[in-house]
């Protein structure tokens, strides 16, 4: 796959990077060179994970198609999930074993 | 370096303090002069040295890569974006160092946000290699490796996302260890690619790098990816030897194009391991050739997400502008060329329509690379490879060619993709320049690679 200067400008907008004309030109050339190298991955034709990959020590993200959408906590009333506030911020309970005062 | 168990007496404390102050003055003099290596971005003031009277590092100077949050000193990540930034909290590894009696000498230079293999991508200028000042020290932990190689400190911390501890250690002729993912807390390490980042240690010797690793390792409730695994004595592992150890030589790490002088040094190191009692046999890691493209998809994807927080709202500099979008864009103009390039690549591979073609494929490749290692470690105890295809290269040689720069990491990125530990140990010189051999171990097998490195180091020391 190759990308055009227009693609680069659009990606720049998504990444909130202002790119001048020179930068667009250089990035178009650089990204195409990198993507040409990256395209070798597709030659592998991997469509599935190795059977025991999750026991290998490498933590892999779940396949996005398998992700299950849960209830959106932000649609609940904040007092239901974050009853305490301080200076306009939710107070999030410290994880087990963490004493926040040690960070002071 | 002192290794102590006892509490120091008052006179010893004064001696150690005097020595520490002299060390800092010496570093300041050298780094402030015309012969500066630009290894340090900040050096501690003697008045800021904390009281210490016990611990295995009592009074020992430690340098920290400047992406590790430290109270009392700026934490810049080598970026204009965080110029002068002071963290309100301290990384877990820094707390552990202080508890062990260590003294923070200063913060070392790095490629911006850890993105690079030469330390040329720092917003504060490149670090020079102390072995030959016309060469790069490697990267991205080039400042830490140079500080140890120059003798400013005996030990330093770096971070390793794709080889950033091991490759500069090899280029500067010192020892670098990247532990298993989860062995060392990342709390307070500023993120580049969270599933690949790991804090590592650099030392003048295998013992020093290993002792430092022992001190900073262990579970931390503040890092949900840190493992609840017991930490063995890495100090003891240094002298365990390799009698009966089976060492695998992955054929894919010794391509035909490998420089004959590099290959000759590696062959010699292998012979030394055999002489020390190890058995050597070939193994195959068939997905190795896909490691670099896989790494640069996943690392940039994670970087584009992690670096989205630098928008002028909460962290670092803000460039005032009319309207929020313009303020974001103006502020993010402070990123350097390589960081922008990686954010762009990461944003592209995560974008709609390309996600599975790039990111999904790279994740499956990553799992296959990890699977290769799992298979190999069912047959051998450790793997022996070059750390880098070449010794240190000249400043400026690869800075305009990103693909050539990325290929510097061809032998190191696999350990990060699989999450296994790796270590670089010096094995001599090519044309007067240090070369490193890499030892890779199974998950949580740091003691094995330390034992092999200790045996190699001892073998070379017998020559002198």
């Amino acid at each position: 796959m190759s990308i055009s200067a227009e693609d680069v400008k659009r990606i720049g907008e998504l990444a909130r990077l202002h790119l001048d004309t020179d930068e667009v030109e250089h990035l178009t050339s650089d990204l195409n060179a990198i993507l040409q190298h990256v395209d070798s991955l597709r030659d592998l034709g991997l469509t599935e994970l190795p059977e025991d990959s999750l026991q290998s020590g490498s933590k892999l993200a779940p396949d996005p198609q398998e992700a299950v959408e849960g209830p959106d906590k932000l649609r609940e009333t904040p007092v239901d999930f974050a009853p305490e506030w301080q200076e306009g911020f939710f107070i999030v309970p410290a994880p087990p074993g963490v004493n926040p005062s040690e960070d002071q | 370096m002192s290794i102590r168990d006892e509490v120091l007496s008052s006179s010893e404390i004064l001696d150690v303090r005097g020595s520490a102050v002299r060390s800092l003055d010496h570093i300041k003099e050298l780094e402030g002069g015309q012969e500066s290596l630009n290894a340090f971005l900040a050096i501690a003031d003697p008045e800021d040295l904390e009281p210490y009277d016990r611990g295995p590092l009592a009074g020992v100077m430690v340098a920290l890569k400047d992406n590790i949050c430290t109270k009392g000193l700026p934490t810049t990540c080598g970026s204009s974006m965080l110029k002068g930034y002071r963290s309100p909290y301290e990384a877990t590894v820094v707390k552990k160092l202080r508890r062990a009696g260590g003294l923070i000498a200063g913060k070392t230079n790095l490629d911006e946000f850890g993105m690079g293999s030469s330390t040329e991508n720092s917003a504060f200028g490149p670090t020079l290699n102390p072995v030959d000042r016309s060469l790069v020290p490697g990267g991205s932990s080039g400042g830490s490796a140079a500080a140890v190689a120059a003798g400013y400190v005996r030990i330093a911390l770096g971070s390793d996302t794709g080889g950033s501890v091991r490759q500069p250690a090899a280029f500067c002729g010192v020892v670098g260890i990247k532990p298993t993912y989860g062995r060392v807390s990342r709390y307070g390490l500023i993120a580049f690619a969270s599933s690949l980042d790991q804090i590592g240690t650099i030392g003048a010797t295998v013992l020093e790098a290993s002792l430092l690793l022992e001190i900073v390792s262990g579970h931390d409730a503040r890092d949900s990816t840190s493992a609840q695994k017991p930490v063995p004595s890495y100090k003891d592992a240094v002298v365990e030897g390799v009698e009966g150890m089976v060492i695998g030589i992955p054929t894919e790490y010794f391509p035909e194009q490998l420089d004959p002088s590099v290959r000759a040094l590696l062959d010699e190191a292998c012979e030394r391991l055999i002489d020390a009692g190890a058995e050597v046999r070939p193994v195959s890691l068939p997905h190795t050739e896909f490691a670099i493209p896989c790494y640069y998809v996943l690392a940039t994807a994670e970087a584009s997400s992690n670096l989205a927080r630098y928008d002028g709202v909460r962290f670092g500099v803000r460039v005032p502008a009319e309207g929020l979008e313009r303020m974001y864009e103006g502020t993010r103009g402070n990123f350097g060329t390589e960081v922008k390039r990686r954010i762009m690549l990461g944003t592209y591979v995560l974008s709609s329509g390309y996600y599975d073609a790039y990111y999904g494929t790279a994740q499956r490749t990553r799992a296959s690379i990890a699977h290769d290692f799992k298979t190999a470690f069912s047959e051998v105890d450790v793997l022996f490879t070059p750390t880098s295809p070449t010794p240190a290269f000249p400043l400026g040689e690869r800075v305009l060619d990103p693909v050539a720069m990325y290929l510097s990491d061809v032998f190191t990125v696999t350990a990060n993709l699989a999450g296994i530990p790796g270590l670089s140990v010096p094995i001599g010189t090519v044309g007067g320049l240090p070369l490193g051999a890499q030892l890779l171990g199974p998950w949580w097998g740091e003691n094995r690679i330390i034992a092999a490195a200790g045996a190699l180091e001892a073998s070379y020391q017998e020559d002198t």
Side-chain angles (χ1 to χ4, degrees), chain B residues 308-333:
Chain B
R309 74 192 69 182
Y310 302 104
D311 56 9
V313 175
R314 282 171 297 174
F315 302 102
V317 301
R318 173 183 296 177
V319 175
E322 202 163 304
L324 202 55
E325 286 295 331
R326 288 192 173 208
M327 189 270 281
Y328 290 153
E329 287 187 355
T331 299
R332 288 166 69 77

Side-chain angles (χ1 to χ4, degrees), chain A:
Chain A
M1 284 184 228
S2 65
I3 59 175
S4 65
E6 284 307 308
D7 294 331
V8 168
K9 286 181 196 167
R10 175 68 188 136
I11 302 162
E13 286 170 12
L14 290 172
R16 289 176 166 160
L17 291 172
H18 174 75
L19 305 172
D20 60 32
T21 310
D22 276 356
E23 283 181 304
V24 170
E25 191 181 321
H26 282 124
L27 280 166
T28 305
S29 164
D30 288 349
L31 292 180
N32 275 315
I34 297 165
L35 288 171
Q36 192 177 5
H37 195 68
V38 166
D39 278 345
S40 67
L41 284 181
R42 291 190 296 166
D43 300 341
L44 260 173
L46 289 175
T47 53
E48 291 180 4
L49 293 172
E51 270 182 23
D52 53 353
S53 62
L54 293 179
Q55 284 81 50
S56 68
S58 164
K59 292 183 179 176
L60 300 171
D63 192 306
Q65 284 85 355
E66 291 174 8
V68 179
E69 196 169 319
D72 183 352
K73 284 280 186 189
L74 293 176
R75 287 179 187 272
E76 298 173 16
T77 313
V79 291
D80 291 342
F81 67 92
E84 285 190 79
W85 288 64
Q86 187 176 310
E87 297 175 5
F89 293 96
F90 300 130
I91 295 180
V92 179
V98 171
N99 178 2
S101 65
E102 285 178 13
D103 280 338
Q104 303 307 310

Side-chain angles (χ1 to χ4, degrees), chain B residues 370-380:
Chain B
H371 189 261
D372 286 351
F373 279 115
K374 191 176 181 190
T375 305
F377 287 124
S378 68
E379 299 170 13
V380 301

Side-chain angles (χ1 to χ4, degrees), chain B residues 44-69:
Chain B
D45 279 325
E47 309 85 74
D48 294 334
L49 294 178
E50 292 194 1
Y52 44 83
D53 62 357
R54 70 175 72 210
L57 294 180
V60 174
M61 288 286 183
V62 189
L64 302 178
K65 187 174 180 178
D66 202 24
N67 59 354
I68 298 172
C69 290

